[in-house]
Amino acid sequence: MRMFKVTACVPSQTRIRTQRELQNTYFTKLVPYDNWFREQQRIMKMGGKIVKVELATGKPGMNTGLA
C-alpha cells in the first residue's frame, strides 16, 4: 500500500497565560496516498506547517518511530 510519511507542526489549541504564548506540536504519521489531499487541507486549516513528506510503505496506524 502506498503511503506518505508526513511530519507536521501545528500550534496547540490551549492558551497558556497570555494569548501571545503559543506552543507548537510536532507529529509524524502515515497517511494513505488517496487521503493525502484531505490531510494536507486539515493541517493547513489548523494553521500548521508541513515539515517533511516521504513516500513510505506500511500498514495504517503503524508506529512511524519504528518504520
Side-chain angles (χ1 to χ4, degrees):
M1 186 176 198
R2 287 193 303 177
M3 309 279 273
F4 284 117
K5 184 176 167 183
V6 181
T7 304
C9 172
V10 293
S12 70
Q13 301 300 320
T14 57
R15 299 280 181 240
I16 307 162
R17 288 190 215 124
T18 64
Q19 292 284 4
R20 279 179 283 154
E21 200 172 329
L22 205 64
Q23 251 183 335
N24 290 329
T25 307
Y26 283 87
F27 64 89
T28 302
K29 67 190 273 188
L30 285 176
V31 180
Y33 188 81
D34 301 333
N35 297 347
W36 163 241
F37 186 72
R38 191 181 311 141
E39 185 65 26
Q40 185 183 10
Q41 293 294 314
R42 189 183 71 79
I43 292 167
M44 293 302 186
K45 248 182 222 169
M46 289 169 68
K49 261 189 184 166
I50 295 170
V51 180
K52 185 166 72 170
V53 179
E54 296 176 47
L55 201 55
T57 56
K59 298 182 191 113
M62 190 175 112
N63 186 344
T64 51
L66 303 173

